[in-house]
Amino acid sequence: MVRSARGRAREAILDAIRAAEPLSRVEIAAATGLTEAAVSMTVRRLLDDGLVIEDGRKPTAGKPRTLLRLDPGARIAVGVHLDAGVATFVLTGQTGGIISRLARPTSTPPAADELAAGVAVLLAGSGVDAARCQGIGLAGAATFRAPAATFPAPQEQADELGDRLASATGLPVLVENDATAAAVGEHWVARLGPERAFAALHMGGRLGAGIIVEGRVLRGGEFGHFCVRPDGPECWCGSRGCLEAMAGPRTLVALASADAAAAAEAGLARTSRGVSADFAAIARAARAGAPACRALLEESASYVAAAAESVVNLLDLDLVVLTGAGFAVASFVYGPAIQRRIAPADSRTWHRAVTVTVSLAASTASATGAAALVLQPPT
């Protein structure tokens, strides 16, 4: 029990410094709710471990206060995000900054050896001592095929790949889904304080959502499998009318490919370049004014907005972050659609203001979050 309490204090202090460094011990106590004695004792251990460094003094009416920062290179980890035949590798430290980055095509499903080779290239090119690497975060169970009677489920396939990658690299591997990892990545990169609860809606090869409340990940649930139409088409999960089946990127690409006008506008070939690439082509065409592609995106966005409203209302959130490659190229449709859907009830009934924004690190949030979970697992 004592060890658990110490662990929670340690991570709360690291989170507080990360969100608003530099901070004094008094400011850390105010931000975390810990006693000044607990902060002083824990900070002393963090200084001894080399995770925190002193960085000048802050003048006050009394004795100047010593300011504290995280040492960005004290702990490093590799994050790997798998999505639609591409692996994104990042090397990050405990401040959330990306030290080096690499993107490589992968086979489907990806092989441990090719991922291990990517990790080796990333570390070798970073100029950082690889011995300081704490491990690998692997995100993206969605990159695997949907479950069927004769195949293991996507998460099971990801766990198996994680075990093989650990054997190939000699590093511990933590496996997480891409949407949850993206939420953690946003929490780190945007330096959001623990008091800020938010949903990170993620679109890569599929739709997902990660939720952070009080600095902790809420696990369970599948945003892509919200029912948005009871009599809708069958989804691979076995249900009907799921958001993924009605409005996911794979569905949108299939609809565009079957529509002569949309296919021509987006330049879709008979042989798909992959879901992400084809979806991006549809989004670019829509932005350029192509009416058929725009109509498809608008319809998809209406379903996503309805599901997003349910998440916001259920958890009483005031921040929605759009992240992932899909939202990076198509947020000009999805962002306003979500805002339009949420705004009337906010002003009339709930009296709140929900912010819908696009991640500044949409393409790397999942990889960064996967690495962050290695460096600081949520308590």
Side-chain angles (χ1 to χ4, degrees), residues 32-83:
T32 60
L34 296 168
T35 66
E36 291 189 23
V39 169
S40 180
M41 179 176 62
T42 306
V43 165
R44 190 180 309 117
R45 293 194 182 100
L46 292 172
L47 287 166
D48 291 343
D49 291 342
L51 301 182
V52 169
I53 55 176
E54 294 182 341
D55 185 30
R57 293 176 178 270
K58 181 178 183 179
T60 66
K63 182 181 178 181
R65 296 173 181 171
T66 301
L67 297 174
L68 301 163
R69 288 187 182 274
L70 301 181
D71 182 349
R75 298 185 297 175
I76 61 172
V78 172
V80 183
H81 177 214
L82 306 174
D83 188 53

Side-chain angles (χ1 to χ4, degrees), residues 164-211:
R164 295 196 299 271
L165 181 58
S167 296
T169 61
L171 292 168
V173 175
L174 180 151
V175 176
E176 186 55 84
N177 75 63
D178 47 7
T180 297
V184 174
E186 185 66 22
H187 177 67
W188 271 47
V189 173
R191 301 200 175 200
L192 298 173
E195 74 286 349
R196 195 73 192 265
F198 70 97
L201 306 187
H202 181 272
M203 183 191 287
R206 65 156 192 169
L207 285 164
I211 313 293

Side-chain angles (χ1 to χ4, degrees), residues 257-278:
S257 299
D259 182 315
E265 289 172 356
L268 301 182
R270 290 188 176 183
T271 302
S272 172
R273 294 161 293 183
V275 173
S276 295
D278 286 347

